[in-house]
Amino acid sequence: MSIIVALDAKSHDDAMAIAGQLDPELCRVKVGKELFTHEGSSIVKALHGEGFEVFLDLKFHDIPNTTAQAVCAAADMGVWMVNVHASGGRKMMETCVERLKAGNYNTQLIAVTVLTSMGREDLADIGLDVEPFEQVKRLAKLTKESGLDGVVCSAQEAKMLRETLGSEFALVTPGIRPEGSNADDQKRIVTPKQAMLDGSTHLVIGRPITQAENPNQMLKDILATL
Ligand code: C5P
């Protein structure tokens, strides 16, 4: 079980100010689309310079060749983990896995199944007459068959996916809130301990840590509950 702190910052300085309060021995960090679009690869280099392993959360989704080249570009930067949309399909995911292997990269590749912001109606709008939960299961199976290392999923889905997909598959779960902390805009939240019991392997935690008075102490407190 490990913790990935979401560095949802707008600028290099903001991100490094948060990272500077964290011990890279105790957590990894996640860089998403906003921060990466502002700062580019320099933010990844700076975080590596401080000793952090980075999850580059750019959710690539394109034709197989383009996606695989983007994944390899992330691996070239030395990131620990990167992700794609499973809805890009089997060929897209398999091509990514093949290129990572061919390049001898160690970067972990995971996939997003259904965005948790999407409900049944949203899926119907894009032509999918299926419960989100069924679609998550289908795409997670496809991700595993395509040779990826895991999926991003809500903690509510973790239990079902752990049962369906076996033990050797990473389940990276956001929507985590320690007992007694603010839910912010998250609708369905789970405690770190519960997520772990349900089969999550990596907890993505943002504001409860980044906005704490003492982020590193909060990180230690959360680790102590696991
Ligand atoms: O601050 P908080 O702990 O809510 O941050 C959670 C992080 O996980 C954010 O970077 C958010 O974008 C991301 N995330 C999420 N729910 C998903 C996928 C990603 O909260 N389904």
Side-chain angles (χ1 to χ4, degrees), residues 6 8 30 116 152 174-177 186 204-208:
D8 290 319
K30 178 171 90 68
T116 48
V152 182
I176 305 294
R177 288 294 178 270
Q186 296 281 11
V204 176
I205 310 179
R207 289 160 289 182

Side-chain angles (χ1 to χ4, degrees), residues 108-172:
Q108 303 267 309
L109 180 64
I110 63 168
V112 175
T113 57
V114 179
L115 294 171
T116 48
S117 54
M118 296 191 85
R120 181 158 183 129
E121 306 266 287
D122 302 292
L123 293 184
D125 278 343
I126 58 167
L128 296 171
D129 185 16
V130 61
E131 284 297 330
F133 151 96
E134 284 300 326
Q135 185 68 0
V136 166
K137 195 150 94 176
R138 173 191 297 225
L139 288 175
K141 273 191 190 156
L142 181 63
T143 301
K144 191 172 184 208
E145 285 166 19
S146 304
L148 279 72
D149 300 296
V151 288
V152 182
C153 66
S154 77
Q156 272 86 13
E157 295 155 357
K159 204 168 185 177
M160 174 270 288
L161 291 179
R162 180 58 68 218
E163 284 161 8
T164 315
L165 301 169
S167 58
E168 295 295 307
F169 200 60
L171 298 179
V172 178

